[in-house]
Amino acid sequence: MVHRTLRPRWHYWSLTTNALWFGPPERPLFARSYVPEGGAACAGVVLCPPFGLEAQGAGRAYRALGERLASEGFAVLHPDYDGTGDSAGSAADPDRVGAWRRSVGAAVDLLRSGGARKVCVVGMRLGATVAASAGAEGGLDGLVLWDPCDSGRSYLREEALLRSVYLGDQGLDIPPESSGAAAGGA
C-alpha cells in the first residue's frame, strides 16, 4: 500500500493579504484583510483580537485563521480597535468600550459594503466580549466566542499574572474575584 501526503484543498488556493485603513476619516482604523483570489467571497468574517499580552500571543493564530478562512472563500478583516495597535487614538481616550464596539461595527459595515451578504464575527478572550457586545446590536449572521472572559475582575487578574510571569514583576495588585462580579464586566 502506497501512502501519499494529501494536502488540504485550500493549500492550492492563493489569496491576497493587504493592510488597509477604513472607518471615520477623523479616527481611521487599521486592519489586515485576507481575500480569496479574484476577490469573490462567499461571506465575510471579522476577527476581534484579544487585548494586552494575550493579543501578542494570539497574533500568529489569528493570521493563520485569516489565511485559512480566505482560502476557503471568505473575505476576512482583522482590525485593530480604536486606540489600539495602528488605529488612531489612545488607550487613555474616553469611552473605550463604545469605541471598540464601533470599530467592530465599522469592520462589519466595510465587509457588507464590499458585497458580503453574510458576516460573522469571531472574538477571542476580551475580544469575544467586545464581539458579543457589538453583535447584540444585531445585523450579524454568526458569532463565535473563543474562550470569552467570565468577568472583568478575573480578566484583569489573569493579565496581571501573565505580566508578572512575562516581565518578572512581583505581586499582583488586582484583588481576587468577589462573588458579586458580573459576567463580562470590564
Side-chain angles (χ1 to χ4, degrees):
M1 184 168 164
V2 176
H3 290 282
R4 296 187 290 150
T5 302
L6 296 175
R7 293 186 175 175
R9 92 183 142 92
W10 57 267
H11 178 80
Y12 298 102
W13 293 30
S14 61
L15 58 102
T16 304
T17 303
N18 290 306
L20 60 100
W21 296 93
F22 70 103
E26 65 280 0
R27 284 189 80 89
L29 301 167
F30 177 81
R32 285 152 298 289
S33 67
Y34 306 91
V35 182
E37 182 179 14
C42 60
V45 178
V46 176
L47 301 179
C48 296
F51 289 77
L53 291 173
E54 292 176 338
Q56 292 174 4
R60 186 175 288 186
Y62 260 43
R63 185 183 73 224
L65 179 59
E67 290 173 352
R68 174 66 188 260
L69 288 169
S71 71
E72 294 290 339
F74 294 90
V76 180
L77 277 180
H78 177 190
D80 290 344
Y81 306 106
D82 180 279
T84 69
D86 291 320
S87 289
S90 155
D93 291 343
D95 189 29
R96 292 298 71 218
V97 175
W100 300 333
R101 291 173 66 199
R102 288 188 296 277
S103 299
V104 175
V108 169
D109 291 346
L110 180 64
L111 286 170
R112 289 210 191 278
S113 71
R117 285 182 272 171
K118 293 188 176 188
V119 178
C120 298
V121 176
V122 176
M124 179 189 287
R125 299 290 294 144
L126 190 55
T129 305
V130 172
S133 178
E137 296 175 2
L140 294 180
D141 298 291
L143 181 63
V144 177
L145 306 178
W146 184 352
D147 194 19
C149 298
D150 294 335
S151 74
R153 183 176 302 279
S154 66
Y155 169 76
L156 291 173
R157 237 182 117 61
E158 290 168 16
E159 272 291 304
L161 183 59
L162 280 174
R163 183 190 71 223
S164 72
V165 169
Y166 185 72
L167 300 176
D169 291 350
Q170 299 298 316
L172 300 174
D173 55 354
I174 308 293
E177 182 95 28
S178 67
S179 60

